[in-house]
Coordinates of all heavy atoms in Angstrom, one line a residue:
M1 N -41.0 -23.4 -7.4 CA -39.7 -23.9 -8.0 C -38.9 -22.7 -8.4 O -39.4 -21.8 -9.1 CB -40.0 -24.8 -9.2 CG -39.8 -26.2 -8.9 SD -39.6 -27.2 -10.4 CE -41.3 -27.7 -10.6
S2 N -37.6 -22.8 -8.1 CA -36.7 -21.7 -8.6 C -36.1 -22.1 -9.9 O -35.8 -23.3 -10.2 CB -35.6 -21.4 -7.6 OG -34.8 -22.6 -7.5
K3 N -36.0 -21.1 -10.8 CA -35.3 -21.4 -12.1 C -33.9 -21.1 -11.9 O -33.5 -20.1 -11.3 CB -36.0 -20.5 -13.1 CG -37.4 -20.9 -13.4 CD -37.9 -20.0 -14.5 CE -39.4 -20.4 -14.8 NZ -39.9 -19.6 -16.0
R4 N -33.1 -21.9 -12.5 CA -31.6 -21.7 -12.5 C -31.2 -20.9 -13.7 O -31.7 -21.1 -14.8 CB -30.9 -23.1 -12.6 CG -31.0 -23.9 -11.3 CD -30.1 -25.1 -11.4 NE -30.3 -25.9 -10.2 CZ -29.6 -27.0 -10.0 NH1 -28.7 -27.4 -10.9 NH2 -29.8 -27.7 -8.9
K5 N -30.3 -20.0 -13.5 CA -29.8 -19.2 -14.5 C -28.3 -19.6 -14.7 O -27.5 -19.7 -13.8 CB -29.8 -17.7 -14.2 CG -31.2 -17.2 -14.1 CD -31.3 -15.7 -13.9 CE -32.7 -15.3 -13.8 NZ -32.8 -13.8 -13.6
F6 N -28.0 -20.0 -16.0 CA -26.6 -20.4 -16.3 C -25.9 -19.3 -17.1 O -26.5 -18.7 -17.9 CB -26.7 -21.7 -17.2 CG -27.2 -22.8 -16.4 CD1 -28.5 -23.3 -16.6 CD2 -26.4 -23.5 -15.5 CE1 -29.0 -24.4 -16.0 CE2 -26.9 -24.6 -14.9 CZ -28.2 -25.1 -15.1
E7 N -24.7 -19.1 -16.7 CA -23.9 -18.1 -17.4 C -23.0 -18.9 -18.5 O -22.6 -20.0 -18.3 CB -22.9 -17.4 -16.4 CG -23.6 -16.6 -15.4 CD -22.6 -15.9 -14.5 OE1 -21.4 -15.7 -14.9 OE2 -23.0 -15.6 -13.4
A8 N -22.8 -18.2 -19.6 CA -22.0 -18.8 -20.6 C -20.6 -18.8 -20.2 O -20.1 -17.9 -19.6 CB -22.2 -18.0 -21.9
Q9 N -19.9 -20.0 -20.4 CA -18.5 -20.1 -20.1 C -17.8 -20.7 -21.3 O -18.4 -21.4 -22.2 CB -18.4 -21.1 -19.0 CG -18.8 -20.6 -17.6 CD -18.5 -21.7 -16.6 OE1 -18.8 -22.9 -16.7 NE2 -18.0 -21.2 -15.4
K10 N -16.5 -20.4 -21.4 CA -15.7 -20.9 -22.4 C -15.5 -22.4 -22.2 O -15.5 -22.9 -21.0 CB -14.3 -20.3 -22.4 CG -14.3 -18.8 -22.9 CD -12.9 -18.3 -22.9 CE -12.9 -16.9 -23.4 NZ -11.5 -16.3 -23.4
L11 N -15.4 -23.2 -23.3 CA -15.3 -24.6 -23.2 C -14.0 -24.9 -22.4 O -13.9 -25.9 -21.6 CB -15.3 -25.2 -24.6 CG -15.1 -26.7 -24.6 CD1 -16.3 -27.4 -23.8 CD2 -15.1 -27.2 -26.1
S12 N -12.9 -24.2 -22.7 CA -11.6 -24.4 -22.0 C -11.8 -24.3 -20.5 O -11.2 -25.0 -19.7 CB -10.5 -23.5 -22.5 OG -10.9 -22.2 -22.3
E13 N -12.6 -23.3 -20.0 CA -12.8 -23.1 -18.6 C -13.6 -24.3 -18.0 O -13.2 -24.8 -16.9 CB -13.6 -21.8 -18.3 CG -12.8 -20.6 -18.6 CD -13.7 -19.3 -18.5 OE1 -14.9 -19.4 -18.3 OE2 -13.1 -18.2 -18.7
V14 N -14.6 -24.8 -18.7 CA -15.4 -25.9 -18.2 C -14.5 -27.1 -18.1 O -14.5 -27.9 -17.1 CB -16.6 -26.1 -19.1 CG1 -17.3 -27.4 -18.7 CG2 -17.5 -24.9 -19.1
L15 N -13.7 -27.4 -19.2 CA -12.8 -28.6 -19.2 C -11.8 -28.5 -18.0 O -11.5 -29.5 -17.4 CB -12.2 -28.7 -20.5 CG -13.1 -29.2 -21.6 CD1 -12.3 -29.2 -23.0 CD2 -13.7 -30.5 -21.4
S16 N -11.3 -27.3 -17.8 CA -10.3 -27.1 -16.7 C -10.9 -27.4 -15.4 O -10.3 -28.0 -14.5 CB -9.8 -25.7 -16.8 OG -8.9 -25.4 -15.7
Q17 N -12.2 -26.9 -15.2 CA -12.9 -27.2 -13.9 C -13.1 -28.7 -13.7 O -12.9 -29.2 -12.6 CB -14.2 -26.4 -13.9 CG -14.1 -24.9 -13.8 CD -15.4 -24.2 -13.9 OE1 -16.4 -24.8 -14.2 NE2 -15.4 -22.9 -13.8
I18 N -13.5 -29.3 -14.8 CA -13.7 -30.8 -14.7 C -12.5 -31.5 -14.4 O -12.4 -32.4 -13.5 CB -14.4 -31.3 -16.0 CG1 -15.8 -30.7 -16.0 CG2 -14.4 -32.8 -16.0 CD1 -16.5 -31.0 -17.4
S19 N -11.4 -31.2 -15.1 CA -10.1 -32.0 -15.0 C -9.4 -31.7 -13.7 O -8.6 -32.4 -13.3 CB -9.2 -31.7 -16.2 OG -8.8 -30.3 -16.2
N20 N -9.8 -30.6 -13.0 CA -9.2 -30.3 -11.7 C -9.8 -30.9 -10.5 O -9.4 -30.8 -9.4 CB -9.1 -28.7 -11.5 CG -8.1 -28.1 -12.4 OD1 -7.1 -28.7 -12.8 ND2 -8.3 -26.8 -12.7
Q21 N -11.0 -31.6 -10.8 CA -11.6 -32.4 -9.7 C -10.7 -33.5 -9.3 O -10.1 -34.2 -10.2 CB -13.0 -32.9 -10.2 CG -14.0 -31.8 -10.4 CD -15.3 -32.3 -11.0 OE1 -15.4 -33.5 -11.1 NE2 -16.2 -31.4 -11.3
K22 N -10.5 -33.8 -8.0 CA -9.5 -34.7 -7.5 C -9.5 -36.1 -8.2 O -8.5 -36.5 -8.6 CB -9.7 -34.8 -6.0 CG -8.5 -35.5 -5.4 CD -8.6 -35.4 -3.9 CE -7.3 -36.1 -3.3 NZ -7.3 -36.0 -1.8
P23 N -10.7 -36.8 -8.3 CA -10.6 -38.1 -8.9 C -10.3 -38.1 -10.4 O -9.5 -38.9 -10.8 CB -12.0 -38.6 -8.7 CG -12.7 -37.8 -7.7 CD -12.0 -36.5 -7.7
I24 N -10.7 -37.1 -11.1 CA -10.4 -37.0 -12.5 C -9.0 -36.6 -12.7 O -8.3 -37.1 -13.5 CB -11.4 -36.0 -13.2 CG1 -12.8 -36.6 -13.1 CG2 -11.0 -35.7 -14.6 CD1 -13.9 -35.7 -13.6
A25 N -8.5 -35.6 -11.9 CA -7.1 -35.2 -12.0 C -6.1 -36.4 -11.7 O -5.1 -36.5 -12.4 CB -6.8 -34.1 -11.0
K26 N -6.5 -37.2 -10.8 CA -5.6 -38.4 -10.5 C -5.6 -39.3 -11.6 O -4.5 -39.8 -12.0 CB -6.1 -39.1 -9.2 CG -5.2 -40.2 -8.7 CD -5.7 -40.8 -7.4 CE -4.8 -41.9 -7.1 NZ -5.3 -42.6 -5.9
G27 N -6.8 -39.6 -12.2 CA -6.8 -40.5 -13.4 C -6.1 -40.0 -14.6 O -5.4 -40.7 -15.3
L28 N -6.2 -38.7 -14.8 CA -5.5 -38.0 -15.9 C -4.0 -38.1 -15.7 O -3.2 -38.3 -16.6 CB -5.9 -36.6 -16.1 CG -7.3 -36.4 -16.6 CD1 -7.7 -34.9 -16.6 CD2 -7.5 -37.0 -18.0
K29 N -3.5 -37.9 -14.4 CA -2.1 -38.0 -14.1 C -1.6 -39.4 -14.4 O -0.5 -39.7 -14.9 CB -1.8 -37.6 -12.7 CG -0.4 -37.5 -12.4 CD -0.2 -37.0 -11.0 CE 0.0 -35.5 -11.0 NZ 0.4 -35.0 -9.6
E30 N -2.4 -40.4 -14.0 CA -2.0 -41.9 -14.2 C -1.9 -42.1 -15.7 O -0.9 -42.8 -16.1 CB -3.1 -42.8 -13.6 CG -3.1 -42.9 -12.1 CD -2.0 -43.7 -11.5 OE1 -1.5 -44.6 -12.2 OE2 -1.7 -43.4 -10.4
L31 N -2.8 -41.6 -16.5 CA -2.7 -41.8 -18.0 C -1.5 -41.2 -18.5 O -0.7 -41.7 -19.4 CB -3.9 -41.3 -18.7 CG -5.2 -42.0 -18.5 CD1 -6.4 -41.3 -19.1 CD2 -5.1 -43.4 -19.2
K32 N -1.2 -40.0 -18.0 CA 0.0 -39.2 -18.5 C 1.3 -40.0 -18.1 O 2.2 -40.1 -19.0 CB 0.0 -37.8 -17.9 CG 1.1 -36.9 -18.5 CD 0.9 -35.5 -18.0 CE 1.9 -34.6 -18.6 NZ 1.8 -33.2 -18.2
I33 N 1.4 -40.5 -16.9 CA 2.5 -41.2 -16.5 C 2.7 -42.5 -17.3 O 3.9 -42.8 -17.8 CB 2.4 -41.7 -15.0 CG1 2.6 -40.4 -14.1 CG2 3.4 -42.7 -14.6 CD1 4.0 -39.9 -14.0
N34 N 1.7 -43.2 -17.6 CA 1.8 -44.4 -18.5 C 2.3 -44.1 -19.9 O 3.1 -44.8 -20.4 CB 0.4 -45.1 -18.5 CG 0.2 -46.0 -17.3 OD1 0.9 -47.0 -17.1 ND2 -0.7 -45.7 -16.5
E35 N 1.8 -43.0 -20.4 CA 2.2 -42.6 -21.8 C 3.6 -42.1 -21.8 O 4.4 -42.5 -22.7 CB 1.3 -41.5 -22.3 CG 0.0 -41.9 -22.8 CD 0.1 -43.0 -23.9 OE1 0.8 -42.7 -24.9 OE2 -0.6 -44.0 -23.8
L36 N 4.0 -41.4 -20.8 CA 5.4 -40.9 -20.7 C 6.4 -42.1 -20.5 O 7.5 -42.1 -21.0 CB 5.6 -39.9 -19.6 CG 5.0 -38.5 -19.8 CD1 5.1 -37.6 -18.6 CD2 5.6 -37.9 -21.0
W37 N 6.0 -43.1 -19.7 CA 6.8 -44.3 -19.4 C 7.1 -45.0 -20.8 O 8.2 -45.3 -21.1 CB 6.1 -45.2 -18.5 CG 6.9 -46.5 -18.2 CD1 6.7 -47.7 -18.8 CD2 8.0 -46.6 -17.3 NE1 7.7 -48.6 -18.4 CE2 8.5 -48.0 -17.4 CE3 8.7 -45.8 -16.5 CZ2 9.6 -48.4 -16.7 CZ3 9.8 -46.2 -15.7 CH2 10.2 -47.6 -15.9
K38 N 6.0 -45.2 -21.6 CA 6.2 -45.8 -22.9 C 7.1 -45.0 -23.8 O 7.9 -45.5 -24.5 CB 4.8 -46.0 -23.5 CG 3.9 -47.0 -22.9 CD 2.6 -47.1 -23.5 CE 1.6 -48.0 -22.7 NZ 0.3 -48.0 -23.3
Q39 N 6.9 -43.7 -23.8 CA 7.6 -42.8 -24.6 C 9.1 -42.7 -24.2 O 10.0 -42.8 -25.1 CB 7.0 -41.4 -24.5 CG 7.6 -40.4 -25.4 CD 6.9 -39.0 -25.2 OE1 6.9 -38.5 -24.1 NE2 6.4 -38.4 -26.3
I40 N 9.4 -42.6 -23.0 CA 10.8 -42.5 -22.5 C 11.5 -43.8 -22.5 O 12.7 -43.9 -23.0 CB 10.8 -41.9 -21.1 CG1 10.4 -40.4 -21.1 CG2 12.2 -42.0 -20.5 CD1 10.2 -39.8 -19.8
M41 N 10.9 -44.9 -22.1 CA 11.6 -46.2 -22.0 C 11.7 -46.9 -23.3 O 12.5 -47.8 -23.4 CB 10.9 -47.0 -20.9 CG 10.9 -46.3 -19.5 SD 12.5 -45.6 -19.0 CE 13.3 -47.1 -18.5
G42 N 10.8 -46.7 -24.2 CA 10.9 -47.4 -25.5 C 10.1 -48.7 -25.5 O 9.6 -49.1 -24.5
E43 N 10.1 -49.3 -26.7 CA 9.3 -50.5 -26.9 C 9.8 -51.7 -26.1 O 9.1 -52.5 -25.6 CB 9.2 -50.8 -28.4 CG 8.4 -49.8 -29.2 CD 8.4 -50.2 -30.7 OE1 8.6 -51.4 -31.0 OE2 8.1 -49.3 -31.5
N44 N 11.1 -51.8 -26.1 CA 11.7 -53.0 -25.5 C 11.4 -53.1 -24.0 O 11.0 -54.2 -23.5 CB 13.3 -53.0 -25.7 CG 13.6 -53.2 -27.1 OD1 12.9 -53.8 -27.9 ND2 14.8 -52.7 -27.5
I45 N 11.6 -52.0 -23.3 CA 11.3 -52.0 -21.8 C 9.8 -52.1 -21.6 O 9.3 -52.7 -20.7 CB 12.0 -50.8 -21.1 CG1 13.5 -51.0 -21.2 CG2 11.5 -50.7 -19.7 CD1 14.3 -49.9 -20.7
T46 N 9.1 -51.4 -22.4 CA 7.6 -51.3 -22.3 C 7.0 -52.8 -22.4 O 6.1 -53.1 -21.8 CB 7.0 -50.4 -23.3 OG1 7.5 -49.1 -23.1 CG2 5.5 -50.3 -23.1
A47 N 7.7 -53.6 -23.3 CA 7.2 -54.9 -23.5 C 7.3 -55.8 -22.2 O 6.5 -56.7 -22.0 CB 8.0 -55.6 -24.6
Y48 N 8.3 -55.4 -21.4 CA 8.4 -56.2 -20.1 C 7.8 -55.5 -18.9 O 7.9 -55.9 -17.8 CB 9.9 -56.3 -19.8 CG 10.6 -57.3 -20.7 CD1 11.3 -56.9 -21.8 CD2 10.5 -58.7 -20.5 CE1 12.0 -57.7 -22.7 CE2 11.1 -59.6 -21.3 CZ 11.9 -59.1 -22.4 OH 12.5 -60.0 -23.2
T49 N 7.1 -54.4 -19.2 CA 6.4 -53.6 -18.1 C 4.9 -54.1 -18.0 O 4.2 -54.1 -19.0 CB 6.4 -52.1 -18.4 OG1 7.8 -51.7 -18.6 CG2 5.8 -51.3 -17.3
E50 N 4.5 -54.5 -16.8 CA 3.1 -54.9 -16.6 C 2.3 -53.8 -16.1 O 1.1 -53.7 -16.6 CB 3.1 -56.1 -15.6 CG 3.6 -57.4 -16.2 CD 3.4 -58.6 -15.2 OE1 2.7 -58.4 -14.2 OE2 4.0 -59.6 -15.5
K51 N 2.8 -53.0 -15.2 CA 2.0 -52.0 -14.6 C 2.8 -50.8 -14.1 O 3.9 -51.0 -13.6 CB 1.2 -52.6 -13.4 CG 0.1 -51.7 -12.8 CD -0.6 -52.4 -11.7 CE -1.7 -51.6 -11.2 NZ -2.4 -52.2 -10.1
V52 N 2.3 -49.6 -14.3 CA 2.9 -48.4 -13.9 C 1.9 -47.6 -13.1 O 0.8 -47.3 -13.6 CB 3.5 -47.5 -15.0 CG1 4.1 -46.2 -14.5 CG2 4.4 -48.3 -15.9
K53 N 2.2 -47.3 -11.8 CA 1.2 -46.6 -10.9 C 1.9 -45.6 -10.1 O 3.0 -45.8 -9.5 CB 0.5 -47.6 -10.0 CG -0.5 -47.0 -9.2 CD -1.2 -48.0 -8.3 CE -2.2 -47.3 -7.4 NZ -2.7 -48.1 -6.3
L54 N 1.4 -44.4 -10.0 CA 1.9 -43.3 -9.2 C 1.0 -43.2 -8.0 O -0.2 -43.0 -8.1 CB 1.9 -42.0 -10.0 CG 2.5 -40.8 -9.3 CD1 3.9 -41.0 -9.0 CD2 2.3 -39.5 -10.1
D55 N 1.6 -43.3 -6.8 CA 0.9 -43.2 -5.5 C 1.7 -42.2 -4.7 O 2.8 -42.4 -4.3 CB 0.8 -44.5 -4.8 CG -0.1 -44.4 -3.6 OD1 -0.9 -43.5 -3.5 OD2 0.0 -45.3 -2.7
K56 N 1.1 -41.0 -4.5 CA 1.7 -39.9 -3.8 C 2.9 -39.5 -4.6 O 2.8 -39.1 -5.7 CB 2.0 -40.2 -2.4 CG 0.7 -40.4 -1.6 CD 0.9 -40.7 -0.2 CE -0.4 -41.0 0.5 NZ -0.3 -41.6 1.7
S57 N 4.1 -39.6 -4.1 CA 5.3 -39.2 -4.9 C 6.2 -40.5 -5.3 O 7.3 -40.3 -5.6 CB 6.1 -38.2 -4.1 OG 6.6 -38.8 -2.9
V58 N 5.6 -41.6 -5.2 CA 6.3 -42.9 -5.5 C 5.7 -43.5 -6.7 O 4.5 -43.7 -6.8 CB 6.2 -43.9 -4.3 CG1 7.0 -45.2 -4.6 CG2 6.8 -43.2 -3.1
L59 N 6.6 -43.8 -7.7 CA 6.2 -44.5 -8.9 C 6.5 -46.0 -8.8 O 7.6 -46.4 -8.5 CB 6.9 -43.9 -10.1 CG 6.5 -44.5 -11.5 CD1 5.1 -44.1 -11.8 CD2 7.5 -44.1 -12.6
Y60 N 5.4 -46.8 -8.8 CA 5.6 -48.3 -8.7 C 5.5 -48.8 -10.1 O 4.6 -48.6 -10.9 CB 4.4 -48.9 -7.9 CG 4.4 -48.4 -6.5 CD1 3.7 -47.3 -6.0 CD2 5.2 -49.1 -5.5 CE1 3.7 -46.9 -4.7 CE2 5.3 -48.6 -4.2 CZ 4.5 -47.5 -3.8 OH 4.5 -47.1 -2.5
V61 N 6.5 -49.6 -10.5 CA 6.6 -50.2 -11.8 C 6.8 -51.7 -11.7 O 7.8 -52.2 -11.1 CB 7.8 -49.6 -12.6 CG1 7.8 -50.2 -14.0 CG2 7.7 -48.1 -12.7
K62 N 5.9 -52.4 -12.2 CA 5.9 -53.9 -12.2 C 6.6 -54.4 -13.5 O 6.1 -54.1 -14.6 CB 4.5 -54.5 -12.1 CG 4.5 -56.0 -12.1 CD 3.7 -56.5 -10.9 CE 3.5 -58.0 -11.0 NZ 4.6 -58.7 -10.1
I63 N 7.8 -55.0 -13.3 CA 8.6 -55.5 -14.4 C 8.6 -57.0 -14.4 O 8.8 -57.7 -13.4 CB 10.0 -55.0 -14.3 CG1 10.0 -53.4 -14.3 CG2 10.9 -55.5 -15.4 CD1 9.7 -52.8 -15.6
K64 N 8.4 -57.6 -15.6 CA 8.4 -59.1 -15.7 C 9.7 -59.8 -15.6 O 9.8 -60.9 -15.0 CB 7.8 -59.5 -17.1 CG 6.4 -59.1 -17.3 CD 6.0 -59.4 -18.8 CE 4.7 -58.8 -19.2 NZ 4.4 -59.0 -20.6
S65 N 10.8 -59.1 -16.0 CA 12.1 -59.7 -16.0 C 13.0 -59.2 -14.8 O 13.2 -58.0 -14.6 CB 12.9 -59.3 -17.3 OG 14.2 -59.5 -17.2
P66 N 13.4 -60.2 -14.0 CA 14.3 -59.8 -12.8 C 15.6 -59.1 -13.2 O 16.0 -58.2 -12.6 CB 14.6 -61.2 -12.2 CG 13.6 -62.1 -12.7 CD 13.2 -61.6 -14.1
T67 N 16.2 -59.5 -14.4 CA 17.4 -58.9 -14.8 C 17.2 -57.5 -15.2 O 17.9 -56.6 -14.8 CB 17.9 -59.7 -16.0 OG1 18.0 -61.1 -15.7 CG2 19.3 -59.2 -16.4
L68 N 16.1 -57.2 -16.0 CA 15.8 -55.9 -16.4 C 15.5 -55.0 -15.2 O 15.9 -53.8 -15.1 CB 14.6 -55.9 -17.3 CG 14.2 -54.5 -17.8 CD1 15.3 -53.8 -18.6 CD2 13.0 -54.7 -18.8
K69 N 14.8 -55.6 -14.2 CA 14.4 -54.9 -13.0 C 15.7 -54.4 -12.3 O 15.8 -53.2 -11.8 CB 13.7 -55.9 -12.0 CG 12.9 -55.2 -10.9 CD 12.3 -56.2 -10.0 CE 11.5 -57.3 -10.7 NZ 10.8 -58.3 -9.9
E70 N 16.7 -55.2 -12.2 CA 18.0 -54.8 -11.5 C 18.7 -53.7 -12.3 O 19.2 -52.8 -11.8 CB 18.9 -56.0 -11.4 CG 18.5 -56.9 -10.2 CD 18.5 -56.2 -8.9 OE1 19.4 -55.5 -8.5 OE2 17.5 -56.4 -8.2
E71 N 18.7 -53.8 -13.7 CA 19.3 -52.8 -14.5 C 18.6 -51.5 -14.4 O 19.3 -50.4 -14.3 CB 19.3 -53.3 -16.0 CG 20.3 -54.4 -16.3 CD 20.3 -54.7 -17.8 OE1 20.1 -53.8 -18.6 OE2 20.5 -55.9 -18.1
L72 N 17.3 -51.5 -14.3 CA 16.6 -50.2 -14.1 C 16.8 -49.6 -12.8 O 16.8 -48.4 -12.7 CB 15.1 -50.5 -14.3 CG 14.6 -50.8 -15.8 CD1 13.2 -51.2 -15.8 CD2 14.9 -49.7 -16.7
R73 N 17.1 -50.4 -11.8 CA 17.3 -49.8 -10.4 C 18.6 -48.9 -10.5 O 18.7 -47.9 -9.8 CB 17.5 -50.9 -9.4 CG 16.2 -51.5 -8.9 CD 16.4 -52.4 -7.7 NE 15.1 -52.9 -7.4 CZ 14.7 -54.2 -7.3 NH1 15.6 -55.1 -7.6 NH2 13.5 -54.6 -7.0
F74 N 19.6 -49.3 -11.3 CA 20.8 -48.5 -11.4 C 20.5 -47.2 -12.0 O 21.2 -46.2 -11.8 CB 21.9 -49.3 -12.2 CG 22.5 -50.4 -11.5 CD1 22.3 -51.7 -11.9 CD2 23.2 -50.2 -10.3 CE1 22.8 -52.8 -11.2 CE2 23.8 -51.3 -9.6 CZ 23.6 -52.6 -10.1
G75 N 19.5 -47.1 -12.9 CA 19.2 -45.8 -13.5 C 18.0 -45.1 -13.0 O 17.4 -44.3 -13.6
E76 N 17.7 -45.4 -11.7 CA 16.5 -44.8 -11.1 C 16.5 -43.3 -11.1 O 15.5 -42.7 -11.4 CB 16.3 -45.3 -9.7 CG 15.2 -44.8 -8.9 CD 15.1 -45.2 -7.5 OE1 15.8 -46.1 -7.1 OE2 14.2 -44.7 -6.7
N77 N 17.6 -42.7 -10.7 CA 17.7 -41.2 -10.7 C 17.5 -40.6 -12.0 O 16.8 -39.6 -12.1 CB 19.0 -40.8 -10.0 CG 19.1 -41.1 -8.6 OD1 18.1 -41.1 -7.9 ND2 20.3 -41.3 -8.1
K78 N 18.1 -41.2 -13.0 CA 17.9 -40.7 -14.4 C 16.4 -40.8 -14.9 O 15.9 -39.9 -15.5 CB 18.8 -41.4 -15.4 CG 18.8 -40.9 -16.8 CD 19.8 -41.6 -17.7 CE 19.7 -40.9 -19.1 NZ 20.7 -41.6 -20.0
I79 N 15.8 -41.9 -14.5 CA 14.4 -42.1 -14.9 C 13.5 -41.1 -14.2 O 12.6 -40.5 -14.8 CB 13.9 -43.6 -14.5 CG1 14.7 -44.6 -15.4 CG2 12.4 -43.7 -14.6 CD1 14.5 -46.0 -15.0
I80 N 13.8 -40.8 -12.9 CA 13.0 -39.8 -12.2 C 13.2 -38.4 -12.8 O 12.2 -37.7 -13.0 CB 13.5 -39.8 -10.7 CG1 13.0 -41.1 -10.0 CG2 12.9 -38.6 -10.0 CD1 13.6 -41.2 -8.6
K81 N 14.4 -38.1 -13.2 CA 14.7 -36.8 -13.8 C 13.9 -36.6 -15.1 O 13.3 -35.6 -15.4 CB 16.2 -36.5 -14.0 CG 16.9 -36.2 -12.7 CD 18.4 -36.0 -13.0 CE 19.1 -35.9 -11.7 NZ 20.6 -35.8 -11.9
L82 N 14.0 -37.7 -15.9 CA 13.4 -37.6 -17.3 C 11.9 -37.5 -17.2 O 11.2 -36.7 -17.9 CB 13.7 -38.9 -18.1 CG 15.1 -39.0 -18.6 CD1 15.4 -40.3 -19.2 CD2 15.3 -37.9 -19.7
L83 N 11.3 -38.3 -16.3 CA 9.8 -38.3 -16.1 C 9.3 -36.9 -15.5 O 8.4 -36.3 -16.0 CB 9.3 -39.4 -15.2 CG 9.4 -40.8 -15.8 CD1 9.1 -41.9 -14.8 CD2 8.3 -40.9 -17.0
N84 N 10.0 -36.4 -14.5 CA 9.7 -35.1 -14.0 C 9.8 -34.0 -15.0 O 9.0 -33.1 -15.0 CB 10.5 -34.8 -12.7 CG 10.0 -35.6 -11.5 OD1 8.8 -36.0 -11.4 ND2 10.9 -35.8 -10.5
K85 N 10.9 -34.1 -15.8 CA 11.1 -33.0 -16.8 C 10.0 -33.1 -17.8 O 9.4 -32.0 -18.2 CB 12.4 -33.3 -17.5 CG 12.8 -32.2 -18.5 CD 14.2 -32.5 -19.1 CE 14.5 -31.4 -20.2 NZ 15.8 -31.7 -20.8
K86 N 9.6 -34.2 -18.3 CA 8.5 -34.4 -19.3 C 7.1 -33.9 -18.7 O 6.3 -33.4 -19.4 CB 8.4 -35.8 -19.8 CG 9.5 -36.2 -20.7 CD 9.2 -35.6 -22.1 CE 10.3 -36.2 -23.1 NZ 10.0 -35.7 -24.4
M87 N 6.9 -34.2 -17.4 CA 5.7 -33.8 -16.7 C 5.7 -32.3 -16.3 O 4.7 -31.8 -15.9 CB 5.5 -34.7 -15.5 CG 5.1 -36.1 -15.8 SD 4.8 -37.0 -14.2 CE 3.5 -36.1 -13.5
K88 N 6.9 -31.7 -16.4 CA 7.0 -30.3 -16.0 C 6.6 -30.1 -14.5 O 6.0 -29.2 -14.2 CB 6.2 -29.4 -16.9 CG 6.7 -29.5 -18.3 CD 5.8 -28.6 -19.2 CE 6.3 -28.8 -20.7 NZ 5.4 -28.3 -21.6
S89 N 7.0 -31.1 -13.7 CA 6.8 -31.0 -12.3 C 7.8 -31.9 -11.6 O 8.6 -32.6 -12.2 CB 5.4 -31.4 -11.9 OG 5.2 -32.8 -12.1
A90 N 7.8 -31.9 -10.3 CA 8.7 -32.7 -9.5 C 7.9 -33.7 -8.6 O 8.1 -33.8 -7.4 CB 9.6 -31.9 -8.6
D91 N 6.8 -34.3 -9.2 CA 5.9 -35.1 -8.5 C 6.6 -36.5 -8.1 O 6.2 -37.0 -7.0 CB 4.7 -35.5 -9.4 CG 3.8 -34.3 -9.5 OD1 3.9 -33.3 -8.8 OD2 2.9 -34.3 -10.4
I92 N 7.5 -37.0 -8.9 CA 8.1 -38.3 -8.6 C 9.4 -38.1 -7.8 O 10.3 -37.4 -8.2 CB 8.4 -39.1 -9.9 CG1 7.1 -39.2 -10.7 CG2 9.0 -40.4 -9.6 CD1 7.3 -39.7 -12.1
K93 N 9.4 -38.7 -6.6 CA 10.6 -38.7 -5.8 C 11.3 -40.0 -5.7 O 12.5 -40.0 -5.4 CB 10.2 -38.3 -4.3 CG 9.4 -37.0 -4.2 CD 10.3 -35.8 -4.3 CE 9.4 -34.6 -4.1 NZ 9.8 -33.4 -4.8
Q94 N 10.6 -41.1 -6.0 CA 11.2 -42.4 -5.9 C 10.5 -43.4 -6.9 O 9.3 -43.2 -7.2 CB 11.0 -42.9 -4.5 CG 11.6 -44.3 -4.2 CD 11.3 -44.8 -2.8 OE1 10.5 -44.2 -2.0 NE2 12.0 -45.8 -2.4
V95 N 11.3 -44.3 -7.4 CA 10.7 -45.4 -8.2 C 11.0 -46.7 -7.6 O 12.1 -47.0 -7.2 CB 11.4 -45.4 -9.7 CG1 10.8 -46.5 -10.5 CG2 11.2 -44.0 -10.3
I96 N 10.0 -47.5 -7.5 CA 10.1 -48.8 -6.9 C 9.7 -49.8 -8.0 O 8.6 -49.8 -8.5 CB 9.2 -49.0 -5.6 CG1 9.6 -48.1 -4.5 CG2 9.2 -50.5 -5.2 CD1 8.8 -48.1 -3.3
F97 N 10.7 -50.7 -8.3 CA 10.5 -51.7 -9.3 C 10.2 -53.0 -8.5 O 10.9 -53.4 -7.6 CB 11.8 -51.9 -10.1 CG 12.2 -50.7 -10.9 CD1 13.2 -49.9 -10.5 CD2 11.5 -50.4 -12.1 CE1 13.5 -48.7 -11.2 CE2 11.8 -49.2 -12.8 CZ 12.9 -48.4 -12.3
H98 N 9.1 -53.7 -8.9 CA 8.7 -54.9 -8.2 C 8.2 -55.9 -9.2 O 8.0 -55.6 -10.4 CB 7.7 -54.7 -7.1 CG 6.4 -54.1 -7.6 ND1 5.3 -54.8 -7.9 CD2 6.1 -52.8 -7.9 CE1 4.3 -54.0 -8.3 NE2 4.8 -52.8 -8.3

């Protein structure tokens, strides 16, 4: 049997390696998007939001109110800019309200 030798690593390095794994990174991004949606849109809109999901570069947002859904469509570009700015990336290219 071979004995494994482990090198000491900083906790930040280990956490970075773990969070950069594809399934974990995707889940962390989903959590971040949900938190940012709540933060940017506020309590009123969040109350009518059922689900927020990022798939590739499209953000899917399920809204309970048809009227609110139409109003949000008019501000789609502003929402994209705000979310991308807060995420410090340009991951979101389109928002689909359904």
